[in-house]
Amino acid sequence: MCSSVSISSTCLVWGPQFRCRTSSSSSSSSSRTQWHILSPSSSTGSVKFINNEVSSGLLSKWGFSHEDLHLRDIVDRQSSSEPSSNNSLFTKDDDENVARRRPEFDPAFLNEAYERCRCICAEYAKTFYLGTQLMTKERQRAIWAIYVWCRRTDELVDGPNADCLSSVGVLDRWEERLEDIFNGRPYDVLDAALTDTVHEFPIDIKPFKDMIEGMRLDTRKSQYENFQELYLYCYYVAGTVGLMSVPVMGIAPESPASVHHIYDAALYLGIGNQLTNILRDVGEDASRGRVYLPQDELAQFGLCNEDVYLRKVNDGWREFMKEQITRARFYFNLAEEGAYHLDKASRWPVWSALMLYKKILDAIEENDYDNLTKRAYVGRTKKLLMLPLAYSRSIAVPAGPAV
């Protein structure tokens, strides 16, 4: 399944708890423990857990400790360095700090590298690309370069030639290329654009490596036992994009929000987008023998993988989908307010991506929750009509202070 390329940030906004019914067929799993995040810690940027039983009737909206993902380290490294400083940001590998070596590119070559990235972004991410038009030239080019690297990474596992390749070996070589990119030794013209980007902006290598790890998960897992496992996958393949992009997007100088809260929220939009991708692509993924839905939650609604493979859209499926959509919207709610805290010129593409993905959820509902035989689709007209609204949101002033 294609990972989403999404960028945003926010302060923390806590939505209501949502509930599910427990099917009588789920008694075998009623003793399982689910972990629910109580709240992020404002002093550490991490999250705290409380223990709840499945039998309490709650579906967990949260899945994995940000502290365990070492996100604070990423944020601190990216926040403590200034763009285009003297190799100020270091990559850490095997406990050794290796300084980035900045290559001297011919300006014409570099312009060609970024132009190729622009063309790819314009072709495959039209709505997001249009939203980048208000950004400064330097930020535009950097976002295009990040998008292209993420797309190429995804295609190693899900692209047209993926079945002809040894995915594990390819991903290992791709990670070696990534390290070369950060050390000033790009392999090709598209790599060169990213090499220039990571020297212009304080971007850490770990989110890129984590995305590759997400692709490795796709090579060895075809289902996820619970939301905690799925959340980790969503972080790897989509939440990482927000972490890569915040240094490029920039934070508004007047923003009162904590930088850790802004990064958390950039990750949350990635989680929401990936959950939406999963819900949109259930039928397509099932045809490839993959079910990206929490197995324990399917059981709670009296469902199993066989129902997905047989494309059974019944009342149980509809109720299950309602809760999955509620969870995805919860993450969009976490992200929405924080878009105001980005640099003003960078907000339009964020709002465009956010609103587009929310429309996909609306489309699933309009299809009566049949995402097994129908693909939720947002038409070109709706996308175009959405752009002015996204722009108006991007220039609006937030209603209240950041939390």
Side-chain angles (χ1 to χ4, degrees):
M1 180 174 60
C2 293
S3 60
S4 61
V5 177
S6 56
I7 301 103
S8 181
S9 71
T10 188
C11 58
L12 296 173
V13 182
W14 300 106
Q17 296 288 331
F18 67 92
R19 301 180 178 273
C20 72
R21 62 177 178 82
T22 302
S23 168
S24 58
S25 64
S26 65
S27 58
S28 62
S29 63
S30 62
S31 62
R32 293 183 185 177
T33 297
Q34 287 190 335
W35 294 99
H36 300 255
I37 291 178
L38 179 62
S39 68
S41 167
S42 60
S43 62
T44 65
S46 65
V47 292
K48 303 295 182 183
F49 290 95
I50 56 175
N51 188 346
N52 287 284
E53 297 298 322
V54 171
S55 58
S56 67
L58 293 176
L59 284 184
S60 172
K61 293 187 291 295
W62 300 95
F64 206 87
S65 167
H66 290 184
E67 187 174 54
D68 290 344
L69 294 172
H70 304 290
L71 299 192
R72 183 177 179 84
D73 294 340
I74 297 173
V75 175
D76 287 346
R77 286 194 293 268
Q78 293 190 159
S79 302
S80 63
S81 301
E82 293 299 323
S84 196
S85 56
N86 299 321
N87 296 324
S88 59
L89 193 56
F90 291 81
T91 60
K92 193 170 184 179
D93 187 25
D94 295 329
D95 297 324
E96 293 183 3
N97 286 328
V98 182
R100 295 179 183 174
R101 292 181 243 169
R102 180 163 194 158
E104 294 296 329
F105 293 119
D106 179 87
F109 171 78
L110 201 54
N111 287 337
E112 173 63 18
Y114 280 118
E115 176 60 17
R116 291 195 188 185
C117 291
R118 185 196 70 79
C119 291
I120 293 171
C121 188
E123 174 65 22
Y124 295 103
K126 293 180 175 65
T127 302
F128 181 77
Y129 170 75
L130 287 174
T132 66
Q133 297 309 295
L134 291 184
M135 298 173 70
T136 64
K137 178 182 177 181
E138 292 75 19
R139 285 175 174 167
Q140 277 183 339
R141 296 182 357 155
I143 286 297
W144 298 335
I146 291 172
Y147 170 85
V148 168
W149 185 88
C150 293
R151 181 176 180 82
R152 296 174 86 190
T153 303
D154 183 72
E155 288 183 342
L156 295 176
V157 173
D158 285 328
N161 299 318
D163 291 339
C164 305
L165 303 172
S166 171
S167 296
V168 175
V170 166
L171 290 170
D172 288 345
R173 290 191 293 275
W174 189 248
E175 186 165 358
E176 291 172 3
R177 276 182 62 167
L178 173 67
E179 291 171 353
D180 286 340
I181 286 170
F182 271 73
N183 287 317
R185 299 188 299 269
Y187 179 80
D188 62 18
V189 66
L190 297 176
D191 285 356
L194 186 59
T195 292
D196 187 67
T197 291
V198 301
H199 286 86
E200 286 294 327
F201 295 90
I203 301 173
D204 193 65
I205 197 172
K206 188 176 186 298
F208 294 83
K209 287 191 170 187
D210 283 350
M211 176 173 278
I212 294 173
E213 187 60 31
M215 300 304 128
R216 290 193 178 101
L217 274 178
D218 255 339
T219 68
R220 61 178 184 260
K221 285 180 72 72
S222 59
Q223 66 181 39
Y224 293 83
E225 293 305 313
N226 50 51
F227 184 60
Q228 290 71 43
E229 287 189 5
L230 185 62
Y231 184 96
L232 183 60
Y233 170 74
C234 290
Y235 160 73
Y236 280 142
V237 301
T240 50
V241 183
L243 303 183
M244 300 171 191
S245 304
V246 170
V248 176
M249 291 287 189
I251 298 172
E254 69 277 10
S255 171
S258 158
V259 65
H260 287 283
H261 285 177
I262 290 174
Y263 270 91
D264 276 347
L267 186 157
Y268 295 147
L269 182 55
I271 299 293
N273 283 0
Q274 188 63 21
L275 291 174
T276 301
N277 276 348
I278 288 168
L279 299 182
R280 180 194 62 195
D281 298 340
V282 170
E284 178 184 325
D285 290 331
S287 66
R288 300 165 56 220
R290 295 181 174 276
V291 178
Y292 291 90
L293 300 168
Q295 294 293 299
D296 60 347
E297 294 178 5
L298 281 168
Q300 288 183 53
F301 286 81
L303 303 167
C304 63
N305 286 351
E306 193 66 19
D307 297 305
V308 179
Y309 295 139
L310 294 176
R311 310 292 201 269
K312 289 185 177 180
V313 180
N314 53 29
D315 289 343
W317 179 260
R318 292 185 182 93
E319 291 302 312
F320 174 72
M321 275 298 113
K322 288 177 184 178
E323 301 299 344
Q324 300 302 312
I325 289 173
T326 298
R327 174 188 277 147
R329 284 183 174 142
F330 170 77
Y331 281 98
F332 289 137
N333 288 339
L334 289 177
E336 193 167 287
E337 289 298 323
Y340 295 112
H341 299 286
L342 292 174
D343 185 88
K344 190 173 183 178
S346 299
R347 296 173 193 166
W348 194 19
V350 174
W351 277 105
S352 298
L354 194 156
M355 295 174 70
L356 171 62
Y357 270 80
K358 290 175 73 174
K359 288 290 185 183
I360 293 172
L361 296 177
D362 294 343
I364 294 173
E365 292 176 330
E366 291 165 4
N367 287 339
D368 196 24
Y369 303 97
D370 182 3
N371 49 356
L372 294 174
T373 66
K374 300 177 183 178
R375 181 180 171 89
Y377 179 74
V378 181
R380 178 177 175 81
T381 300
K382 284 186 177 180
K383 288 180 181 178
L384 292 175
L385 291 174
M386 181 190 67
L387 287 173
L389 179 58
Y391 176 73
S392 68
R393 294 281 183 90
S394 73
I395 62 174
V397 177
V403 178

